[in-house]
Amino acid sequence: MQRRKFIKGATLASFAGVIGAEIVYGLKMPSGYVPLALQEPDPFKMFDKNTEMVVLNDKPWNMEARAHLLDDKVTPNEAIFIRNNGLVPEGIDAANWTLTIDGESVRQEKTYTLEELKSKFKHHTYQLTLECGGNGRSEFDPPAKGNQWTVGAVYCAEWTGVRLRDVLEDVGIKDDAVYFGYHAADIHLSRDPKKEPISRGAPMAKAMQDETLLAFKMNGKDIPLVHGYPLRVIAGGWPASVSGKWLQRISIRNIVHDGTKMTGSAYRVPCKPVAPGEKVADEDMCIIESMPVKSLITYPKSGATLAKGKKLAIRGHAWAGELEVAKMEYSIDFGATWKTCKLEKPVNRLAWQHFSAEVDFPQEGYYEVWAKATDSKGVSQPMLLPGWNPKGYLNNACHRIAVKIV
Ligand SMILES: Nc1nc2c(c(=O)[nH]1)N[C@H]1C(S)=C(S)[C@@H](COP(=O)(O)O)O[C@H]1N2
Ligand SMILES: [Mo]
């Protein structure tokens, strides 16, 4: 948006400034022409992302991290994946931003300015893990349509905001409330203002948790535009699609919210296991709630080479939706035997946990290090793929890296 404004009133000198070189035949350039170097938006600059991020789609923007970019305990903005279902809202005016709470199950509809939310309610800060329901989709066979996420559609940032519960208590909620649904300011790809790119939500029990926030800060600063500035609902441990960016309205529903991407096969998996490729009727699909146990080796990068006789220090993160991770193990023999990793407690509920281990290799050659987390109910990650599902959700297979000992 900044770019477009700039181009309207641009002069040769200003083009040259951005390109970083004089446009030698600039006077011959047709008027109104935008140099090629500036026609392609640079998504890494536009969104302040690490240039090793991988762009999966540009309309809408979708970009994922690579495992080694997620090494920090709290994910910095430059490594946070972008998942947009529509176009980023234009011309956001945070000073006049409002949030309306409405729906069948509010006693009375109420609207707050962003300033009121900030001044009236207590602020809370939590580290919260957000993973796209489709993270890992690229491995399913038969393949599923949609962004082909590998491992990088997950992050744990620190969010600051007010509790959704505190706001709902101020509004007054009826006893028949079952679900909340969000409505946001992003623009449908068709640019039809009557259509919403996405409008999801969660049961009231999730709305009422301490950690469910109406957030206005990420990692101590204003939320970056592409991640939901100036207001976002954050529901850690659930598919990140529940955490609506550019939040304008929350509806308290007396039915399961039926907004865009709540119905049909969106963010749903077969209620009972199905054979790969099988057609599943909509009524046999269940809404994804808490995300399954999973982990990621963030150091070293896959492909690392190590001198014989040295120990390899590995590290990464593990998370388990609403649950805690109870145990973290690694294997260097394709899962035949497992050794325990050191595992830290979460900083707070719904934050990912950090693990590390010192790995010994018996001789020179090729190895794979596989990492496996087990949640507090005793459920572990599958070594390879979990059950196939039509939309390719919930692939929580063990993360694996290749290591060569020379
Ligand atoms: N308003 C709005 N909120 C949204 C989305 C969106 O397209 N529009 N995408 C959802 C999905 S599917 C995911 S995975 C997360 C991605 O959050 P991120 O871009 O901060 O990584 O945002 C969710 N919230
Ligand atoms: Mo998502």
Side-chain angles (χ1 to χ4, degrees):
M1 292 126 268
Q2 285 297 74
R3 221 182 112 254
R4 210 171 295 153
K5 261 193 213 129
F6 158 75
I7 283 168
K8 259 190 213 154
T11 61
L12 266 183
S14 60
F15 278 146
V18 177
I19 294 170
E22 182 194 354
I23 304 176
V24 177
Y25 294 110
L27 289 175
K28 303 225 183 292
M29 209 166 73
S31 82
Y33 180 80
V34 179
L36 282 181
L38 298 178
Q39 282 186 26
E40 278 300 306
D42 177 343
F44 308 105
K45 273 198 195 138
M46 198 157 62
F47 302 123
D48 288 320
K49 297 297 174 186
N50 188 301
T51 52
E52 287 186 85
M53 297 283 282
V54 180
V55 175
L56 301 182
N57 193 353
D58 64 350
K59 272 197 189 90
W61 284 109
N62 283 280
M63 194 190 274
E64 76 167 330
R66 305 203 298 145
H68 69 276
L69 298 177
L70 293 169
D71 195 38
D72 297 89
K73 291 192 165 182
V74 176
T75 314
N77 177 53
E78 64 151 27
I80 293 179
F81 80 96
I82 297 172
R83 166 57 172 136
N84 288 339
N85 290 266
L87 307 171
V88 177
E90 291 160 8
I92 284 176
D93 177 8
N96 290 305
W97 194 267
T98 59
L99 173 72
T100 298
I101 313 285
D102 66 4
E104 304 92 354
S105 296
V106 292
R107 292 199 196 287
Q108 205 172 6
E109 181 181 315
K110 198 161 174 176
T111 296
Y112 301 89
T113 65
L114 187 54
E115 271 323 299
E116 276 170 340
L117 285 178
K118 289 182 184 175
S119 59
K120 191 164 176 170
F121 302 98
K122 190 168 182 276
H123 296 190
H124 298 270
T125 297
Y126 298 104
Q127 290 178 21
L128 298 165
T129 310
L130 293 185
E131 181 179 18
C132 179
N135 196 22
R137 173 177 293 138
S138 64
E139 284 191 276
F140 283 108
D141 188 30
K145 283 203 197 101
N147 288 295
Q148 296 300 302
W149 306 108
T150 64
V151 297
V154 61
Y155 65 108
C156 184
E158 185 189 84
W159 295 93
T160 301
V162 300
R163 286 186 173 137
L164 174 56
R165 182 182 66 211
D166 290 348
V167 176
L168 295 183
E169 273 162 12
D170 186 64
V171 173
I173 302 302
K174 293 190 203 158
D175 291 339
D176 65 353
V178 298
Y179 229 87
F180 80 90
Y182 65 75
H183 299 277
D186 46 345
I187 302 157
H188 194 269
L189 288 178
S190 67
R191 290 202 171 260
D192 178 347
K194 289 190 291 288
K195 288 189 181 156
E196 289 177 292
I198 187 167
S199 168
R200 304 198 68 243
M204 288 311 289
K206 184 65 182 165
M208 302 311 258
Q209 283 182 358
D210 284 357
E211 302 82 6
T212 300
L213 297 180
L214 300 173
F216 37 76
K217 276 185 191 269
M218 189 189 88
N219 294 344
K221 296 193 187 129
D222 282 349
I223 302 173
L225 173 63
V226 78
H227 296 294
Y229 178 79
L231 188 66
R232 178 172 189 179
V233 56
I234 299 284
W238 284 45
S241 52
V242 177
S243 295
K245 308 192 267 191
W246 312 291
L247 181 69
Q248 286 181 315
R249 187 154 66 88
I250 285 199
S251 299
I252 303 302
R253 310 295 313 270
N254 63 5
I255 54 165
V256 172
H257 182 55
D258 52 0
T260 305
K261 306 217 169 177
M262 278 304 298
T263 53
S265 57
Y267 301 101
R268 290 180 185 231
V269 290
C271 306
K272 293 192 192 115
V274 298
E278 199 174 310
K279 285 242 178 317
V280 187
D282 282 355
E283 61 269 24
D284 296 328
M285 299 282 273
C286 286
I287 299 172
I288 301 169
E289 299 200 328
S290 173
M291 292 292 285
V293 61
K294 196 164 171 181
S295 60
L296 194 62
I297 303 166
T298 58
Y299 184 89
K301 242 193 223 188
S302 187
T305 299
L306 189 79
K308 196 177 128 186
K310 285 218 169 123
K311 280 185 189 229
L312 176 66
I314 63 163
R315 59 175 183 261
H317 319 290
W319 59 98
E322 286 281 328
L323 302 177
E324 229 177 80
V325 177
K327 185 167 68 173
M328 190 66 215
E329 295 163 290
Y330 72 89
S331 173
I332 59 166
D333 56 10
F334 299 100
T337 62
W338 295 88
K339 288 204 167 90
T340 309
C341 301
K342 202 178 130 213
L343 176 67
E344 292 177 26
K345 281 275 176 195
V347 167
N348 53 254
R349 221 176 70 78
L350 312 180
W352 68 15
Q353 296 165 241
H354 317 296
F355 69 84
S356 57
E358 297 265 315
V359 184
D360 250 328
F361 299 92
Q363 63 180 73
E364 291 168 26
Y366 174 87
Y367 296 87
E368 290 186 9
V369 181
W370 292 13
K372 182 171 78 176
T374 302
D375 71 24
S376 51
K377 287 194 173 155
V379 177
S380 301
Q381 294 181 252
M383 282 200 277
L384 298 173
L385 275 178
W388 180 90
N389 63 87
K391 289 290 191 93
Y393 294 124
L394 306 184
N395 176 3
N396 66 334
C398 288
H399 184 224
R400 311 181 286 278
I401 60 164
V403 177
K404 232 189 241 170
I405 306 297
V406 293

